[in-house]
């Protein structure tokens, strides 16, 4: 265990500018580091982060103070049978035939609408004009909510993500997050109640009607899940789509391979999740004293799991600081399941329930963007950069391309 002050500080400007350099130092010199400012124990090696996600001694009790103030009590805070039942109630909408037959057309429609806004311009900011809006539009559409309220939903999810990443404890950020919970509840609870009385063919109605062994979700349960879905689903997919294009644009040979063979999109997504994950850190809390990273973490302490560091651990991946969609130490076939061998979706019982939805959104979005921009390239003079600490991705991604004539536009299906 190390507390040396000369080690990288996750709250420093240097860390925000380039966390990957700091990750190397932490993995090598301080695999278990007590961080006074956040009152947490930081782990950075793959084996330690994986253990914190898989071993049941590590709980999600930290979410009682970390996310409950903005979401209420969600599936993330639950354990045992309560968690299993709630997950069984919500999971069917995010996999199998429901996702493919019911919601993939929703994803395609929303991607097409956004791309139509710039496909004939010859230039675009893929963050501001696509990635920022796409996942929120999809989720709002899936829930059967009014897309005219997009600005509200985007403001709420932005405030929520800022609250979750408020590692320095800024009170204005904290207050904005708490206010968001009240505003979101005031907006959603009446809609949920009306949907119970008059259900439709949408995700919100399905959540209201879902039942297992006599258990159904309350209005507060449904509201909390919708809040979590908008924030987690919006932020992560937003940053993943921007990151996958940034990574491919900076590796033209791999971009050419994906353009020629769209079945490689899942590989490019999986490698992006490893190389530049949207979420760089997740917290856990051990129920008892536990040995980790060469030291002992006391029961009830917060453990900050550095996903961004673990996913570049040379003990797990060869040439971990290289983006390579063809690497043979990342299993693409299970990269979007609880058996994944990267950590971007967490692992174990709290593996991201929306992983397959994110995969479908990225597949559709990347495929349709490549159709619309067959020779896409970064704008002259622009050097793509990442921003953020808790979540991280490009803040903008200006590209130029030769517009495809309307008559020659063709769709290429993703395998």
């Amino acid at each position: 265990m190390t507390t040396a002050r000369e080690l990288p500080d996750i709250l420093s400007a240097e860390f925000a500018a380039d966390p990957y350099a700091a990750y190397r130092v932490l993995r090598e010199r301080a695999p278990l580091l007590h961080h006074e400012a956040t009152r947490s124990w930081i782990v950075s090696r793959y084996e330690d982060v994986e253990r914190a996600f898989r071993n049941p001694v590590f709980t999600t009790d930290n979410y009682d103070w970390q996310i409950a103030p903005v979401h209420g009590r969600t599936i993330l805070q639950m354990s045992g049978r309560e968690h299993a039942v709630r997950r069984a109630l919500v999971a069917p909408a995010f996999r199998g035939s429901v996702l493919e037959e019911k919601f993939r057309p929703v994803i395609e429609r929303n991607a097409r609408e956004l791309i139509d806004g710039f496909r004939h311009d010859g230039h675009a900011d893929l963050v501001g004009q696509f990635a920022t809006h796409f996942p929120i539009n999809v989720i709002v559409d899936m829930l059967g909510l009014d897309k005219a309220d997009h600005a509200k939903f985007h403001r709420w999810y932005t405030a929520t993500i800022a609250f979750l990443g408020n590692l320095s404890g800024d009170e204005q950020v904290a207050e904005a997050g708490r206010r968001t919970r009240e505003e979101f509840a005031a907006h959603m609870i009446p809609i949920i109640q009306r949907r119970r009385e008059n259900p439709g063919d949408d995700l919100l109605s399905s959540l209201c009607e879902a039942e297992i062994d006599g258990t159904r979700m309350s209005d507060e349960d449904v509201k909390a899940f919708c809040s979590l879905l908008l924030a987690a689903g919006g932020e992560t997919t937003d940053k993943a789509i921007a990151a996958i294009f940034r990574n491919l644009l900076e590796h033209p040979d791999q971009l050419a391979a994906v353009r020629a063979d769209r079945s490689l999109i899942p590989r490019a997504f999986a490698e992006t999740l490893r190389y530049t994950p949207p979420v760089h850190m997740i917290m856990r809390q051990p129920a008892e004293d536990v040995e980790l990273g060469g030291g002992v973490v006391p029961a009830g302490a917060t453990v900050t799991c550095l996903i961004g560091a673990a996913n570049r651990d040379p003990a797990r991946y060869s040439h971990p600081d290289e983006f390579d969609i063809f690497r043979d130490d990342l299993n693409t076939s299970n990269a979007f399941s609880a058996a994944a061998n990267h950590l971007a979706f967490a692992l174990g019982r709290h593996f991201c329930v929306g992983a397959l939805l994110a995969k479908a959104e990225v597949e559709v979005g990347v495929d349709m963007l490549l159709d619309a921009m067959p020779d896409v390239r970064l704008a002259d003079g622009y050097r793509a950069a990442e921003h953020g600490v808790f979540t991280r991705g490009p803040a903008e991604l200006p590209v130029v391309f030769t517009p495809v004539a309307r008559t020659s536009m063709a769709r290429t299906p993703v395998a």
Side-chain angles (χ1 to χ4, degrees), residues 24-52:
R24 285 192 289 273
V25 175
L26 293 175
R27 284 193 308 262
E28 293 169 6
R29 295 173 50 195
L32 179 66
L33 173 67
H34 187 255
H35 190 254
E36 295 287 348
T38 58
R39 300 188 298 278
S40 73
W41 299 76
I42 297 174
V43 292
S44 49
R45 291 178 178 173
Y46 189 98
E47 64 175 341
D48 295 324
V49 175
E50 180 185 35
R51 184 178 173 213

Short mmCIF file of all heavy atoms in Angstrom, two decimals, residues 24-52:
data_model
loop_
_atom_site.label_atom_id
_atom_site.label_comp_id
_atom_site.label_asym_id
_atom_site.label_seq_id
_atom_site.Cartn_x
_atom_site.Cartn_y
_atom_site.Cartn_z
N ARG A 24 0.07 4.18 -15.97
CA ARG A 24 1.28 3.34 -16.01
C ARG A 24 2.04 3.42 -14.69
O ARG A 24 2.49 2.39 -14.16
CB ARG A 24 2.18 3.77 -17.17
CG ARG A 24 1.68 3.34 -18.54
CD ARG A 24 2.75 3.53 -19.60
NE ARG A 24 2.97 4.95 -19.90
CZ ARG A 24 2.26 5.65 -20.79
NH1 ARG A 24 1.27 5.07 -21.46
NH2 ARG A 24 2.54 6.92 -21.01
N VAL A 25 2.16 4.63 -14.16
CA VAL A 25 2.88 4.82 -12.89
C VAL A 25 2.15 4.11 -11.76
O VAL A 25 2.76 3.42 -10.94
CB VAL A 25 3.03 6.32 -12.58
CG1 VAL A 25 3.66 6.52 -11.20
CG2 VAL A 25 3.87 7.01 -13.65
N LEU A 26 0.83 4.25 -11.71
CA LEU A 26 0.06 3.63 -10.63
C LEU A 26 0.13 2.11 -10.70
O LEU A 26 0.29 1.45 -9.67
CB LEU A 26 -1.39 4.10 -10.70
CG LEU A 26 -1.63 5.58 -10.38
CD1 LEU A 26 -3.09 5.96 -10.61
CD2 LEU A 26 -1.22 5.91 -8.94
N ARG A 27 0.01 1.54 -11.88
CA ARG A 27 0.09 0.08 -12.00
C ARG A 27 1.44 -0.44 -11.52
O ARG A 27 1.52 -1.46 -10.84
CB ARG A 27 -0.14 -0.35 -13.45
CG ARG A 27 -1.56 -0.32 -13.94
CD ARG A 27 -1.71 -1.07 -15.27
NE ARG A 27 -0.75 -0.61 -16.25
CZ ARG A 27 -1.00 0.28 -17.20
NH1 ARG A 27 -2.21 0.82 -17.30
NH2 ARG A 27 -0.06 0.64 -18.06
N GLU A 28 2.49 0.28 -11.89
CA GLU A 28 3.85 -0.19 -11.59
C GLU A 28 4.27 0.10 -10.15
O GLU A 28 4.90 -0.75 -9.50
CB GLU A 28 4.84 0.47 -12.56
CG GLU A 28 4.66 0.04 -14.01
CD GLU A 28 5.46 0.90 -14.97
OE1 GLU A 28 6.23 1.76 -14.48
OE2 GLU A 28 5.31 0.72 -16.20
N ARG A 29 3.90 1.26 -9.62
CA ARG A 29 4.46 1.69 -8.35
C ARG A 29 3.46 1.70 -7.20
O ARG A 29 3.86 1.66 -6.03
CB ARG A 29 5.06 3.10 -8.50
CG ARG A 29 6.24 3.15 -9.45
CD ARG A 29 6.70 4.58 -9.70
NE ARG A 29 6.89 5.31 -8.45
CZ ARG A 29 6.99 6.64 -8.38
NH1 ARG A 29 6.92 7.36 -9.49
NH2 ARG A 29 7.16 7.24 -7.22
N ALA A 30 2.18 1.78 -7.51
CA ALA A 30 1.18 1.90 -6.43
C ALA A 30 -0.11 1.20 -6.83
O ALA A 30 -1.13 1.83 -7.04
CB ALA A 30 0.91 3.38 -6.13
N PRO A 31 -0.07 -0.13 -6.95
CA PRO A 31 -1.29 -0.86 -7.34
C PRO A 31 -2.44 -0.70 -6.35
O PRO A 31 -3.59 -0.92 -6.72
CB PRO A 31 -0.82 -2.31 -7.45
CG PRO A 31 0.41 -2.37 -6.60
CD PRO A 31 1.07 -1.04 -6.75
N LEU A 32 -2.11 -0.36 -5.11
CA LEU A 32 -3.14 0.02 -4.13
C LEU A 32 -2.71 1.35 -3.52
O LEU A 32 -1.67 1.43 -2.87
CB LEU A 32 -3.29 -1.04 -3.04
CG LEU A 32 -4.35 -0.72 -1.97
CD1 LEU A 32 -5.75 -0.72 -2.56
CD2 LEU A 32 -4.27 -1.71 -0.81
N LEU A 33 -3.51 2.38 -3.76
CA LEU A 33 -3.14 3.72 -3.32
C LEU A 33 -4.29 4.34 -2.53
O LEU A 33 -5.43 4.38 -3.02
CB LEU A 33 -2.82 4.60 -4.53
CG LEU A 33 -2.58 6.09 -4.26
CD1 LEU A 33 -1.30 6.29 -3.46
CD2 LEU A 33 -2.53 6.87 -5.57
N HIS A 34 -4.02 4.79 -1.32
CA HIS A 34 -5.06 5.50 -0.56
C HIS A 34 -5.05 6.96 -0.97
O HIS A 34 -4.05 7.67 -0.87
CB HIS A 34 -4.83 5.40 0.95
CG HIS A 34 -5.96 5.98 1.74
ND1 HIS A 34 -5.89 7.19 2.38
CD2 HIS A 34 -7.22 5.51 1.95
CE1 HIS A 34 -7.05 7.45 2.96
NE2 HIS A 34 -7.86 6.45 2.72
N HIS A 35 -6.22 7.43 -1.45
CA HIS A 35 -6.35 8.79 -1.96
C HIS A 35 -7.14 9.61 -0.97
O HIS A 35 -8.35 9.41 -0.79
CB HIS A 35 -7.04 8.78 -3.33
CG HIS A 35 -7.02 10.09 -4.04
ND1 HIS A 35 -8.12 10.89 -4.15
CD2 HIS A 35 -6.00 10.74 -4.68
CE1 HIS A 35 -7.81 11.98 -4.83
NE2 HIS A 35 -6.54 11.92 -5.16
N GLU A 36 -6.46 10.51 -0.28
CA GLU A 36 -7.08 11.25 0.82
C GLU A 36 -8.25 12.11 0.36
O GLU A 36 -9.30 12.17 1.01
CB GLU A 36 -6.03 12.13 1.51
CG GLU A 36 -4.93 11.36 2.21
CD GLU A 36 -5.43 10.69 3.49
OE1 GLU A 36 -6.56 11.01 3.93
OE2 GLU A 36 -4.70 9.84 4.03
N ALA A 37 -8.07 12.82 -0.75
CA ALA A 37 -9.09 13.79 -1.18
C ALA A 37 -10.43 13.14 -1.47
O ALA A 37 -11.50 13.71 -1.17
CB ALA A 37 -8.59 14.55 -2.40
N THR A 38 -10.42 11.95 -2.07
CA THR A 38 -11.68 11.26 -2.37
C THR A 38 -12.02 10.20 -1.32
O THR A 38 -13.04 9.52 -1.44
CB THR A 38 -11.61 10.57 -3.75
OG1 THR A 38 -10.51 9.65 -3.77
CG2 THR A 38 -11.45 11.60 -4.85
N ARG A 39 -11.15 10.07 -0.31
CA ARG A 39 -11.36 9.10 0.78
C ARG A 39 -11.63 7.70 0.19
O ARG A 39 -12.59 7.03 0.57
CB ARG A 39 -12.50 9.54 1.70
CG ARG A 39 -12.25 10.87 2.37
CD ARG A 39 -13.29 11.20 3.44
NE ARG A 39 -14.63 11.29 2.87
CZ ARG A 39 -15.12 12.38 2.27
NH1 ARG A 39 -14.36 13.46 2.17
NH2 ARG A 39 -16.33 12.41 1.81
N SER A 40 -10.78 7.33 -0.75
CA SER A 40 -10.96 6.03 -1.39
C SER A 40 -9.61 5.36 -1.61
O SER A 40 -8.55 5.98 -1.52
CB SER A 40 -11.67 6.19 -2.73
OG SER A 40 -10.82 6.76 -3.72
N TRP A 41 -9.68 4.05 -1.88
CA TRP A 41 -8.52 3.24 -2.21
C TRP A 41 -8.55 2.98 -3.71
O TRP A 41 -9.53 2.44 -4.23
CB TRP A 41 -8.54 1.93 -1.43
CG TRP A 41 -8.51 2.13 0.06
CD1 TRP A 41 -9.53 2.54 0.87
CD2 TRP A 41 -7.39 1.94 0.91
NE1 TRP A 41 -9.12 2.61 2.17
CE2 TRP A 41 -7.80 2.25 2.24
CE3 TRP A 41 -6.07 1.53 0.70
CZ2 TRP A 41 -6.95 2.16 3.33
CZ3 TRP A 41 -5.22 1.44 1.79
CH2 TRP A 41 -5.65 1.76 3.09
N ILE A 42 -7.47 3.34 -4.38
CA ILE A 42 -7.43 3.25 -5.84
C ILE A 42 -6.70 1.98 -6.26
O ILE A 42 -5.60 1.69 -5.78
CB ILE A 42 -6.71 4.48 -6.44
CG1 ILE A 42 -7.50 5.75 -6.11
CG2 ILE A 42 -6.54 4.33 -7.94
CD1 ILE A 42 -6.78 7.03 -6.54
N VAL A 43 -7.32 1.21 -7.16
CA VAL A 43 -6.67 0.04 -7.75
C VAL A 43 -6.63 0.21 -9.27
O VAL A 43 -7.57 0.75 -9.86
CB VAL A 43 -7.38 -1.29 -7.37
CG1 VAL A 43 -7.20 -1.58 -5.90
CG2 VAL A 43 -8.85 -1.26 -7.74
N SER A 44 -5.55 -0.25 -9.88
CA SER A 44 -5.31 0.05 -11.28
C SER A 44 -4.92 -1.16 -12.13
O SER A 44 -4.89 -1.06 -13.35
CB SER A 44 -4.22 1.11 -11.41
OG SER A 44 -3.09 0.76 -10.62
N ARG A 45 -4.59 -2.30 -11.50
CA ARG A 45 -4.22 -3.47 -12.27
C ARG A 45 -5.45 -4.28 -12.66
O ARG A 45 -6.43 -4.34 -11.91
CB ARG A 45 -3.25 -4.34 -11.47
CG ARG A 45 -1.89 -3.69 -11.28
CD ARG A 45 -0.96 -4.55 -10.44
NE ARG A 45 0.37 -3.95 -10.31
CZ ARG A 45 1.33 -4.41 -9.54
NH1 ARG A 45 1.12 -5.51 -8.80
NH2 ARG A 45 2.50 -3.80 -9.47
N TYR A 46 -5.36 -4.94 -13.81
CA TYR A 46 -6.50 -5.70 -14.34
C TYR A 46 -7.00 -6.72 -13.32
O TYR A 46 -8.21 -6.81 -13.06
CB TYR A 46 -6.11 -6.40 -15.64
CG TYR A 46 -7.29 -7.04 -16.35
CD1 TYR A 46 -7.91 -6.39 -17.41
CD2 TYR A 46 -7.77 -8.30 -15.98
CE1 TYR A 46 -8.99 -6.96 -18.07
CE2 TYR A 46 -8.85 -8.88 -16.62
CZ TYR A 46 -9.45 -8.20 -17.66
OH TYR A 46 -10.53 -8.79 -18.29
N GLU A 47 -6.10 -7.51 -12.75
CA GLU A 47 -6.53 -8.58 -11.85
C GLU A 47 -7.25 -8.04 -10.62
O GLU A 47 -8.18 -8.67 -10.11
CB GLU A 47 -5.34 -9.44 -11.43
CG GLU A 47 -4.28 -8.72 -10.61
CD GLU A 47 -3.19 -9.67 -10.13
OE1 GLU A 47 -3.45 -10.89 -10.12
OE2 GLU A 47 -2.09 -9.21 -9.79
N ASP A 48 -6.86 -6.87 -10.14
CA ASP A 48 -7.50 -6.30 -8.96
C ASP A 48 -8.86 -5.70 -9.29
O ASP A 48 -9.82 -5.87 -8.53
CB ASP A 48 -6.59 -5.24 -8.33
CG ASP A 48 -5.30 -5.83 -7.79
OD1 ASP A 48 -5.34 -6.96 -7.27
OD2 ASP A 48 -4.25 -5.17 -7.91
N VAL A 49 -8.96 -4.99 -10.42
CA VAL A 49 -10.25 -4.43 -10.82
C VAL A 49 -11.23 -5.55 -11.16
O VAL A 49 -12.40 -5.51 -10.76
CB VAL A 49 -10.07 -3.47 -12.02
CG1 VAL A 49 -11.43 -2.99 -12.52
CG2 VAL A 49 -9.20 -2.28 -11.62
N GLU A 50 -10.74 -6.56 -11.87
CA GLU A 50 -11.61 -7.71 -12.19
C GLU A 50 -12.13 -8.35 -10.91
O GLU A 50 -13.32 -8.69 -10.81
CB GLU A 50 -10.84 -8.73 -13.01
CG GLU A 50 -11.67 -9.95 -13.38
CD GLU A 50 -10.87 -11.01 -14.10
OE1 GLU A 50 -9.67 -11.18 -13.78
OE2 GLU A 50 -11.43 -11.69 -14.98
N ARG A 51 -11.27 -8.51 -9.92
CA ARG A 51 -11.70 -9.12 -8.67
C ARG A 51 -12.74 -8.26 -7.96
O ARG A 51 -13.72 -8.78 -7.41
CB ARG A 51 -10.48 -9.33 -7.76
CG ARG A 51 -10.85 -10.07 -6.47
CD ARG A 51 -9.65 -10.31 -5.60
NE ARG A 51 -10.07 -10.87 -4.31
CZ ARG A 51 -9.47 -10.64 -3.17
NH1 ARG A 51 -8.40 -9.86 -3.13
NH2 ARG A 51 -9.90 -11.18 -2.07
N ALA A 52 -12.55 -6.95 -7.97
CA ALA A 52 -13.50 -6.06 -7.32
C ALA A 52 -14.87 -6.12 -7.99
O ALA A 52 -15.90 -5.92 -7.34
CB ALA A 52 -12.97 -4.63 -7.33
#
